Amino acid sequence: VFLNNEQNCPLVAVAFTDFDPYPLYRYLNDQQVHTKCIKNHMIAGTMLHILRIGLPYFETVERLNYVLFQIGRFLSEHVKAQKNVLS
């Protein structure tokens, strides 16, 4: 769930009901990508885990691409590891 209601908001906040974003937060932090992880936050009766990414005005397209690459890399490895555990 995207929590942003503004079209020109300088941050992206993604809320999860069944995914713990903390390992992703830690991984990104190790890659020098600083985000905020808010776990167990109740909104409208639903427990959410939120990953918030701020986008400073001075951020470069290259750095934004780097962030997207690192998120994709983590999710790819994490999903693969989850499948191996379930097999």
Side-chain angles (χ1 to χ4, degrees), residues 6-70:
E6 302 288 326
Q7 284 187 341
N8 297 318
C9 187
L11 66 91
V12 175
V14 184
F16 306 93
T17 56
D18 59 353
F19 175 75
D20 180 1
Y22 188 75
L24 174 57
Y25 158 81
R26 291 287 311 252
Y27 173 80
L28 291 173
N29 195 54
D30 290 345
Q31 306 307 313
Q32 301 302 305
V33 176
H34 304 294
T35 63
K36 176 140 179 107
C37 182
I38 305 163
K39 292 183 60 171
N40 303 321
H41 186 71
M42 188 72 72
I43 297 179
T46 302
M47 183 66 69
L48 299 172
H49 311 297
I50 301 167
L51 185 65
R52 189 174 72 194
I53 304 169
L55 304 171
Y57 71 91
F58 55 83
E59 200 59 82
T60 65
V61 171
E62 290 81 14
R63 281 278 300 161
L64 295 176
N65 284 331
Y66 176 77
V67 170
L68 294 174
F69 171 79
Q70 292 300 337

